[in-house]
Amino acid sequence: MGVRSSIENAKVWQLGLPSPSWWIAAGGVLALFGVGVAADGSFSAWARSAPRAIVSVMAEITSAGESGWVLYPSLALSVLAGLATLLARRKLVRLVFVEQARLFAFIFVCIGLTSLVSTLAKVAIGRGRPVDIDAPGPFVFAPDLGDWADQSFPSGHATTAFALATVLSMLSLRWRWPAFGAAALVGLSRVVLGMHYPSDVLGGAALGIVGACAIRNGFAQRKLVFEGQPNGRIALRPFSALRRYLSLKRRGGARVSL
């Protein structure tokens, strides 16, 4: 029994891809990253020569990759839901708020932690940005804590956008393609605006996706929001308290008031 339990716990730490799919996916990501590195200079120069109208649109799109607009609301909602558990008189209502607090906490941790890792990596790697006219090329690195121009890899906007897309696809598969499509547009905007090279965006995307999956796995280990399945997959835990509350509300109304 103990051996079986330890095996299932180990499976939970996978990214949700059975072997050999995991290795195929990893190989594909590495190959794509290699192509991005090889095309950094030429693609960046081509993208920055886009017409003014496209640049204007990309300037609007790029703000969607800022982590603050996700971090602050998710933190506030998690705290408010947590406080609401102290005010709710009925056990079922308290459980509803507990579920919501954990969900918003998960979103906050995913975006916040991946953004933090991205920021630390930027400083440590010190890659020059394409927009810096004094930069000698895409393959020169000069770690500098205080110089924004030397903090290109990985793209923080791409990290946030792809971490959020991953979170949304975990919560509902119907959001997978729209979310990742939007994240790709954010990544492209960073190249068009001269803020990042293609490989910066690919590196940020990989960090966002892998980071969100790793955090999900940590939550699943503790049966928070997610849980591991016997086949090694990780599934979203049903919001059973919320479902029961809504069901009772439809049938009885006032019996499940705060």
Side-chain angles (χ1 to χ4, degrees):
M1 185 68 176
V3 174
R4 180 180 178 182
S5 176
S6 63
I7 291 175
E8 289 182 357
N9 286 338
K11 286 182 178 180
V12 168
W13 287 94
Q14 297 175 7
L15 296 182
L17 292 171
S19 182
S21 298
W22 158 249
W23 297 107
I24 294 174
V29 169
L30 289 175
L32 185 61
F33 183 75
V35 171
V37 170
D40 268 345
S42 58
F43 187 86
S44 178
W46 173 79
R48 283 183 288 142
S49 66
R52 185 180 299 273
I54 294 179
V55 173
S56 298
V57 172
M58 290 298 176
E60 296 296 325
I61 291 175
T62 202
S63 61
E66 296 175 0
S67 59
W69 73 270
V70 181
L71 282 177
Y72 301 134
S74 60
L75 177 60
L77 289 170
S78 180
V79 171
L80 289 174
L83 292 175
T85 63
L86 303 177
L87 302 176
R89 296 191 300 270
R90 296 182 179 275
K91 180 179 179 180
L92 179 59
V93 176
R94 286 198 299 272
L95 291 177
V96 170
F97 284 125
V98 167
E99 290 177 342
Q100 300 308 304
R102 290 173 176 176
L103 173 61
F104 291 118
F106 168 71
I107 296 173
F108 173 79
V109 172
C110 275
I111 304 304
L113 194 54
T114 54
S115 296
L116 176 61
V117 172
S118 176
T119 300
L120 295 176
K122 285 172 179 286
V123 175
I125 295 172
R127 188 185 199 187
R129 295 179 185 269
V131 75
D132 183 1
I133 60 175
D134 296 324
F139 304 113
V140 174
F141 303 87
D144 189 339
L145 178 61
D147 194 347
W148 169 88
D150 290 327
Q151 297 177 10
S152 186
F153 183 90
S155 166
H157 282 65
T159 300
T160 295
F162 279 90
L164 180 59
T166 304
V167 168
L168 291 176
S169 66
M170 290 172 181
L171 300 179
S172 176
L173 285 178
R174 73 179 62 182
W175 288 103
R176 173 178 293 178
W177 298 119
F180 278 104
L185 282 177
V186 170
L188 179 61
S189 74
R190 304 306 288 166
V191 180
V192 171
L193 296 176
M195 297 294 104
H196 293 286
Y197 292 103
S199 60
D200 298 335
V201 171
L202 292 172
L207 174 58
I209 293 171
V210 174
C213 288
I215 293 167
R216 175 203 61 183
N217 295 352
F219 271 66
Q221 283 263 312
R222 296 159 181 79
K223 296 188 182 299
L224 299 174
V225 188
F226 300 90
E227 60 186 357
Q229 303 295 307
N231 62 1
R233 296 281 184 174
I234 296 175
L236 182 68
R237 287 175 62 90
F239 293 97
S240 54
L242 178 60
R243 290 179 178 177
R244 178 165 172 74
Y245 174 86
L246 294 175
S247 176
L248 291 174
K249 196 72 174 175
R250 284 192 296 268
R251 287 183 290 166
R255 288 184 300 171
V256 289
S257 62
L258 293 179

